[in-house]
Each structure stands twice: as C-alpha cells, then as structure tokens.
Amino acid sequence: MLFSTIPFLYFFLPLVLFVNNVLLRRHLKIQNVFLLLSSLFFYAWGEPTFVFVMLLSILVNWGFGLWVDKKRDDKTMILSLMLLFNLSLIFVFKYLMFTMEVINEAFDAHLRVPIINLPIGISFFTFQSISYVIDIYRRHGEVQKNPLNVGLYISFFPQLIAGPIVRYETVAAEINDRSVSWHDFSEGVERFIIGLGKKVLLAN
C-alpha cells in the first residue's frame, strides 16, 4: 500500500487517524496496540507472507533488548549474536541468490539457487531493530518489557517501507507517554500534503 494510492488516502489513513486521535485519544496503551495492528495490516496488504518475517524480527530483537539490559557484562556476545541474526536476515533475502550464482560461476559448481523474493522494507525494519538493541545497551532509551511496544517502534507504518530509519532514542519516551496538539497535528497534515504533492506531481 503506497502513500499516494486511493486505498491509503481515502480509507486506511482517515480511519487510523479517526480511531487513534478521536476514539482512543485518552487510552495510550490501546492506541499503541491499535497502531501496531494497523501497521501490520499496512505491511501485510502488500506482503501477506513476509509479515511473519517482520514478526520474527520483532520478537527476537525484543528478547535481545531484555537480554542486553539484564546482562551488560556479556554485552560483546549479546551484541554479536544480535548483529549476526539481523545481518543474516538481510543477507539471506538480499544477497544469498547472488552469492550462490557467483560461487557457481567462479568454481563451476552446480549449487541449486533458490528463488527468494525480497520483502519490502527489510533493510528499514532490520536496522530499526538493531537501533533498538544498541540504544538499550547505551541507555539511550528505556527497555520495553512489552513486545507490542517494540513491535510498534519497528513496524510503525509511516516510515516502514520507505524510511527514514528512526533511532529508538528519538521516540522511546513517546511510546509510553505522548501528547498530540492540534497545532502539531495541523503541521503534520501540511507537511504530508506538500510531500504527497512532490511525490505525485514531480517524482511520478
């Protein structure tokens, strides 16, 4: 689902804004759950299968965050395992086919090259996951005991498929405590309209 499409502009975005800012405006925890489910739906709209890859990434990195917060003396091992998992995820989906083709060509091998489709936005949500664990280790944000909050940070739909990558420390406090004013909301709407105009009228 792209930001410039009819389903997003006329159905998904208005519904999410209305429910989040009107119906649930006094219920932060329910807001977080709703935004997480909305973000997963947004991703599953275009990637119904690979949403499970993102869910795996969320759960594993939530675990790494708890681990590194509790066992800071073992930080080298924990951070190494975290990087190995996340970078392996990117390697498998983005570079495994290419690597096997190079091996076949260079060594006259006959390895069977699997057809692996590339999940949308895998680099963005993977590096966001890495940022979460590293910022927890650096004490630049409070560890999230609730995996749903980690999922919201990693999968938040406005930056999920096109970025930018958002450091966890910049939004950590707002996950558990935030306020929205009409002034900020109107500025956000104005910025969105300008960006949408650039996308549709210039970039397209």
Side-chain angles (χ1 to χ4, degrees), residues 44-58:
W45 181 276
E47 296 283 14
T49 302
F50 290 129
V51 70
F52 295 104
V53 176
M54 186 167 63
L55 288 172
L56 174 65
S57 177
I58 289 169

Side-chain angles (χ1 to χ4, degrees):
M1 190 187 304
L2 299 176
F3 297 149
S4 56
T5 58
I6 296 298
F8 180 83
L9 290 172
Y10 287 92
F11 297 99
F12 179 82
L13 182 60
L15 178 63
V16 170
L17 290 176
F18 176 76
V19 173
N20 185 73
N21 295 327
V22 178
L23 299 183
L24 301 177
R25 72 178 185 273
R26 300 185 186 277
H27 307 281
L28 181 62
K29 291 183 178 179
I30 302 177
Q31 274 186 336
N32 286 350
V33 174
F34 172 72
L35 290 174
L36 170 61
L37 294 176
S38 300
S39 298
L40 294 176
F41 174 82
F42 174 86
Y43 189 78
W45 181 276
E47 296 283 14
T49 302
F50 290 129
V51 70
F52 295 104
V53 176
M54 186 167 63
L55 288 172
L56 174 65
S57 177
I58 289 169
L59 288 174
V60 171
N61 285 287
W62 166 70
F64 276 125
L66 293 174
W67 193 10
V68 78
D69 184 62
K70 187 176 181 179
K71 302 286 187 179
R72 293 181 180 273
D73 292 339
D74 301 326
K75 63 181 184 296
T76 302
M77 179 188 69
I78 298 171
L79 293 178
S80 297
L81 289 174
M82 181 272 294
L83 289 172
L84 177 64
F85 169 78
N86 285 291
L87 297 180
S88 295
L89 203 62
I90 291 180
F91 174 79
V92 167
F93 285 102
K94 297 190 75 170
Y95 304 111
L96 180 60
M97 290 173 57
F98 172 75
T99 301
M100 295 183 70
E101 289 172 355
V102 169
I103 292 174
N104 284 340
E105 189 73 26
F107 300 100
D108 195 26
H110 299 283
L111 300 175
R112 181 176 174 272
V113 180
I115 303 300
I116 302 175
N117 294 322
L118 181 63
I120 297 173
I122 187 171
S123 295
F124 291 112
F125 71 71
T126 301
F127 283 111
Q128 294 236 139
S129 302
I130 293 173
S131 169
Y132 169 71
V133 180
I134 290 178
D135 283 349
I136 291 302
Y137 160 67
R138 291 175 174 173
R139 302 185 189 275
H140 290 174
E142 187 176 339
V143 66
Q144 294 290 342
K145 303 294 178 63
N146 188 341
L148 300 182
N149 289 342
V150 178
L152 174 60
Y153 161 67
I154 293 174
S155 68
F156 193 42
F157 73 88
Q159 45 76 47
L160 175 59
I161 61 174
I165 296 170
V166 179
R167 290 286 302 274
Y168 175 67
E169 65 175 314
T170 65
V171 297
E174 294 182 358
I175 291 177
N176 297 317
D177 183 22
R178 61 180 178 271
S179 61
V180 179
S181 68
W182 283 111
H183 173 73
D184 291 340
F185 184 83
S186 63
E187 281 195 348
V189 171
E190 180 181 354
R191 178 175 294 187
F192 178 83
I193 291 173
I194 293 172
L196 181 64
K198 291 179 178 179
K199 166 66 176 171
V200 175
L201 300 177
L202 298 179
N204 284 356

